[in-house]
Amino acid sequence: MNRWRKHIIWGVILMLLFAECRVMAAPPAETELYAKAAILMDAGSGRVLYEKNGQEILAMASTTKILTCILALETADLEEWVDISAYASTMPKVKLGVKMGERYRLGDLLYSLMLESHNDVAVAIAEHVGKEFLEKELAEK
C-alpha cells in the first residue's frame, strides 16, 4: 500500500510540473486595443514594454484638443460667444453638428470638446481664441 501511495504522489507531482510547464510555454494572449497605436514604457529606463504600431506617424488629435482647451481657459472668458465658421461646421467624423452662423457660449463648447472630443467644436474654439489673440496683438502695435 505504501509503495502505491508513493507512486501516486510522484505521478501527481509530475502531472503538476508538466501542466505548469505547458502554461509557462504558452505565448501571452494579444491585448485587444481599439486604439490605432499605443506604447507602454518604463519611465525610469525608457525601455519599451509594449507597443502597437509604435513606428506609425499619426496625428495627435486628443493632445491638440487638450492644448486647445488649456489655451481657451487661460486666454478667454467662458461667457464669450463663439461664432461657428463654415470651416468648423464641415469637420469629419466625431462632431457635435454645429452649423455655420450659429453662436455658442465658450464654456459650453469646452464641455463638448473635453467630454466628447468633437472635431467641429475644437476648430471653432481654436478659431475664436486665435482671432482674439491676433486682435490683441494688432491692438498693441
Side-chain angles (χ1 to χ4, degrees):
M1 234 354 145
N2 214 6
R3 185 171 183 214
W4 282 107
R5 183 184 248 173
K6 189 177 183 181
H7 285 289
I8 291 173
I9 291 172
W10 276 109
V12 169
I13 291 172
L14 287 174
M15 284 186 347
L16 290 173
L17 285 174
F18 178 71
E20 184 68 27
C21 289
R22 286 187 60 208
V23 169
M24 291 175 68
E30 181 63 32
T31 303
E32 287 188 34
L33 293 177
Y34 296 104
K36 290 181 184 178
I39 189 162
L40 175 64
M41 294 178 68
D42 180 331
S45 67
R47 185 175 64 124
V48 175
L49 303 173
Y50 174 82
E51 73 175 279
K52 176 182 176 183
N53 295 332
Q55 302 304 316
E56 188 175 345
I57 298 173
L58 298 169
M60 301 183 315
S62 294
T63 305
T64 304
K65 289 174 184 167
I66 292 168
L67 291 173
T68 300
C69 180
I70 291 170
L71 282 172
L73 289 170
E74 288 179 349
T75 62
D77 180 3
L78 298 180
E79 297 301 321
E80 292 175 3
W81 290 94
V82 177
D83 296 316
I84 304 301
S85 71
Y87 180 68
S89 67
T90 62
M91 291 297 108
K93 296 186 181 178
V94 182
K95 58 186 177 179
L96 178 62
V98 296
K99 306 283 186 249
M100 181 182 81
E102 292 178 338
R103 299 182 85 203
Y104 293 88
R105 196 177 69 84
L106 178 60
D108 294 333
L109 290 179
L110 288 174
Y111 277 107
S112 173
L113 175 70
M114 297 312 296
L115 294 177
E116 298 294 332
S117 195
H118 290 135
N119 294 321
D120 51 357
V121 169
V123 171
I125 294 170
E127 289 175 340
H128 179 76
V129 172
K131 180 181 171 187
E132 282 198 351
F133 177 78
L134 286 175
E135 287 173 355
K136 287 178 186 174
E137 284 291 310
L138 292 174
E140 290 177 4
K141 289 183 179 184

